[in-house]
Amino acid sequence: MKPKGLAAFVIAFVAAAPIAALAQGATAPNPPLAPLQEPAKTLPAPYADISPQMQAFIAKPLNPDWNDQWKTGAEARAYADKQAAGVVPTIPGMLSRLHVTMTSTSMGGVHVYVLTPADMPPENKDKVLIHVHGGCYVLFPGESGATEGIMMAGFAHYKVISVDYRMPPEAYFPTALDDAVTVYKEVLKTTKPKDVAFFGTSAGGALTLEMVLRARQDGLPLPGAIAPGTPMSDVTKTGDSFYTNEKVDNVLVSRSGFCHAATLIYAKGHDLSDPLLSPVYGDMHGFPPAILTTGTRDLLLSNTVRVHRKLLRSGVPAILEVFEGESHAQYQFDDTVPETREAFTEIGAFFGQYLGH
Amino acid sequence: MKPKGLAAFVIAFVAAAPIAALAQGATAPNPPLAPLQEPAKTLPAPYADISPQMQAFIAKPLNPDWNDQWKTGAEARAYADKQAAGVVPTIPGMLSRLHVTMTSTSMGGVHVYVLTPADMPPENKDKVLIHVHGGCYVLFPGESGATEGIMMAGFAHYKVISVDYRMPPEAYFPTALDDAVTVYKEVLKTTKPKDVAFFGTSAGGALTLEMVLRARQDGLPLPGAIAPGTPMSDVTKTGDSFYTNEKVDNVLVSRSGFCHAATLIYAKGHDLSDPLLSPVYGDMHGFPPAILTTGTRDLLLSNTVRVHRKLLRSGVPAILEVFEGESHAQYQFDDTVPETREAFTEIGAFFGQYLGH
């Protein structure tokens, strides 16, 4: 079959470019190159082409908990439970606004939420999206992890299975990934791989990429498309925006803050540069078509653009969406924000283009 | 005809999204939102997934001339001539490496360089790319403005016509645009509009967008595709990266530096928010498919992503390429850098997908 559209573009690009000559890898130059001294600055809150609702998120002060340095799974869980207690009461309203029903069940022994939109076009009825939530591998247990799945079901009109993967202190690396892949295997019993997509944000974006790497390791067929949102694709603090957006991103704030502490808890001594923890170092040839989402103030802007570039350099159709002024993962904080609807509508349209083929 | 590929994605997106509800415009909130105080920081030179050749550009100190505050066209031209004297001697080597021939001629009274690659596939032979160079509307006179055109001809294998538009002190706004549109009209005498693309970087990226706005005003058919590279799409200092990347971008450095001074000279008192100077404020419905290119340290990162988003919100197929660690326009500084070849190869592949349809 003659490749079409974006796929044709990528194939033309790959055919034309001497991929081997393109820079890949993370070897620090020796001697090191000179650093740049950036002076202190006042950053006005951006507003152009940004909705007032999103402006309110962008203009928030730095996350007051950014420097929480949890040492154990129990400490992280205590925080996660407190945070979840604030999220869970908002879920009925969200389900109602987005016309989505939520069912708690298990698949292959893994707890999941099945999210079904009231309005599902015929071409979406045989498709399944597997959602892996974010939260630095320790946050958003239970229902509180399902919000992004609800938004996707509601805005993109697909059935979503949101994986309530085990987290510290119950389980550590690679259990989150094991649980997500178990659910994928269960889904494959009734659904063709090309009718399945993986998606998630932050740790969920990393898990999305890790699931593809692990599926290939396990000899499973790959899904039809993926949407890694601002993925924690490199947890070794490598990547320019870990520095340029330090104390600019008001969500993560710092490469050495709570999210890094949480990742160390989850990794439990495992090598952070393992592609199953830092998937930017994985082999991405043959990956499914991908749509990536980030913001200009995102601490993980570089984590995102490096994955985008690596996918293209590996011959994978991949597109990048960057939202003006947004910090880490803000495109999925509130379903009533116009940019949230926009982001999920774009991802849904991308899935509509690639799933089933 | 059934839309395909990226076009299908965009149409699906547009059909699904309530575009009217999406944020657009540049009305400052009243009262203003709280600014963020960013502390002084040390930024290591990024290296992961970046070629050593590009690392060398990224690790350069701030452009020592960033704060030149030219007041007149003559002052700007004196600087431009000095800079051009450094560029022109590099052109024969570049033409030789890239197997491109350059001919100086005029079209409709406008001076142009015709750039012809030795190797042009049959499907490219009836296509013409019109190049409008960058340089804040005052830099890169004569041959020195043709380098990006040479790279495109050499890497993408199309015939390129590079417009040596008049600049201060000879001529001011909107003469650069007039000259570029004159060349387009001449090209249309022998070439179908869908076989033509416009491209350029910085002021050239803005001119690319302005040419589409002006072509529509003049009742001309629109070209088949455009590639606005890190466009000066908003010269009113609006956009978040004017602040976040201040003194991080080592090329432009500041929203109030030489490039702003140059723009004021070119504008000669004209309203800077006119879409023919700040095209992000133009109506982009019906624009040709577009590929945009920028870098994470680019002072015009926001100028670029705002145009990308506005194109998508206007139903235009548009994709965004963001290079790790690069400052303004560095993807087209040196044809021997792997990322330069990559950027132009991608743009060429995009043109290959859309031209002629």
Side-chain angles (χ1 to χ4, degrees), chain B residues 29-178:
Chain B
N30 187 5
L33 294 161
L36 187 65
Q37 301 303 330
E38 182 184 6
K41 296 187 294 199
T42 297
L43 307 179
Y47 57 83
D49 301 329
I50 301 172
S51 71
Q53 300 96 312
M54 182 56 84
Q55 287 176 34
F57 280 100
I58 291 174
K60 283 192 178 185
L62 300 185
N63 173 359
D65 302 330
W66 72 265
N67 203 20
D68 280 6
Q69 296 289 339
W70 310 311
K71 298 286 181 218
T72 66
E75 276 178 49
R77 175 58 60 86
Y79 184 92
D81 285 342
K82 193 177 65 172
Q83 192 181 43
V87 173
V88 170
T90 70
I91 290 181
M94 191 185 302
L95 289 168
S96 167
R97 279 190 298 277
L98 298 179
H99 309 290
V100 173
T101 58
M102 177 158 87
T103 311
S104 170
T105 182
S106 75
M107 295 179 70
V110 176
H111 184 225
V112 301
Y113 295 95
V114 179
L115 304 160
T116 311
D119 172 20
M120 193 152 42
E123 65 271 24
N124 290 6
K125 288 192 192 296
D126 54 356
K127 311 293 194 299
V128 175
L129 315 185
I130 299 178
H131 172 237
V132 272
H133 68 79
C136 313
Y137 297 104
V138 303
L139 302 176
F140 302 112
E143 265 182 273
S144 73
T147 56
E148 185 183 33
I150 297 168
M151 293 180 202
M152 185 69 86
F155 290 130
H157 306 290
Y158 285 95
K159 176 179 163 182
V160 173
I161 296 172
S162 184
V163 183
D164 183 21
Y165 53 80
R166 287 168 292 164
M167 297 194 294
E170 282 86 36
Y172 297 82
F173 174 86
T175 306
L177 180 55
D178 292 342

Side-chain angles (χ1 to χ4, degrees), chain A residues 4-10 12-14 16-18 21-29 33-52 55-56 58-62 155 234 238-241 243-250 255 280-281 291 296-297 301-303 305-310 312-313 318-326 338-339 341-343 345-347 349-350 353-354, chain B residues 4-10 12-14 16-18 21-29 33-52 55-56 58-62 155 234 238-241 243-250 255 280-281 291 296-297 301-303 305-310 312-313 318-326 338-339 341-343 345-347 349-350 353-354:
Chain A
K4 293 175 192 172
L6 187 60
F9 155 64
V10 172
F13 164 60
V14 170
L22 291 173
Q24 285 194 22
T27 306
L33 294 161
L36 186 66
Q37 301 303 329
E38 182 183 5
K41 297 186 294 198
T42 298
L43 307 179
Y47 57 83
D49 301 329
I50 302 171
S51 71
Q55 286 176 35
I58 290 174
K60 282 192 177 183
L62 300 185
F155 290 130
D234 191 332
T238 303
D240 199 33
S241 65
Y243 297 86
T244 55
N245 280 339
E246 185 195 17
K247 296 189 181 164
V248 173
D249 180 320
N250 63 2
R255 65 192 170 278
V280 76
Y281 300 113
I291 176 169
T296 60
R297 288 193 178 192
L301 173 63
S302 291
N303 268 229
V305 306
R306 287 174 61 207
V307 170
H308 178 235
R309 212 102 297 273
K310 183 158 186 175
L312 288 175
R313 290 172 182 175
I319 64 174
L320 175 68
E321 310 297 330
V322 183
F323 282 89
E324 167 73 346
E326 291 185 25
E339 285 86 348
R341 174 187 290 263
E342 182 181 15
T345 303
E346 287 188 314
I347 297 169
F350 187 84
Q353 182 186 359
Y354 283 104
Chain B
K4 292 176 194 172
L6 187 60
F9 156 64
V10 172
F13 164 61
V14 170
L22 292 173
Q24 285 193 23
T27 306
L33 294 161
L36 187 65
Q37 301 303 330
E38 182 184 6
K41 296 187 294 199
T42 297
L43 307 179
Y47 57 83
D49 301 329
I50 301 172
S51 71
Q55 287 176 34
I58 291 174
K60 283 192 178 185
L62 300 185
F155 290 130
D234 191 333
T238 303
D240 199 31
S241 65
Y243 297 86
T244 55
N245 280 339
E246 184 195 18
K247 296 189 181 163
V248 173
D249 180 321
N250 63 2
R255 64 192 170 279
V280 76
Y281 299 113
I291 176 169
T296 60
R297 290 193 176 191
L301 173 64
S302 290
N303 268 227
V305 307
R306 287 172 62 207
V307 170
H308 179 234
R309 214 101 296 274
K310 184 158 186 175
L312 289 175
R313 290 171 182 176
I319 64 174
L320 175 68
E321 310 298 330
V322 183
F323 282 89
E324 166 73 345
E326 292 185 24
E339 285 86 349
R341 173 188 291 263
E342 182 180 16
T345 303
E346 288 188 314
I347 297 169
F350 186 84
Q353 182 185 1
Y354 283 104

Side-chain angles (χ1 to χ4, degrees), chain A residues 246-277:
Chain A
E246 185 195 17
K247 296 189 181 164
V248 173
D249 180 320
N250 63 2
V251 175
L252 294 179
V253 183
S254 165
R255 65 192 170 278
S256 304
F258 73 96
C259 201
H260 187 67
T263 305
L264 292 177
I265 291 169
Y266 171 65
K268 215 177 178 180
H270 195 84
D271 177 7
L272 296 180
S273 68
D274 184 325
L276 296 184
L277 275 170

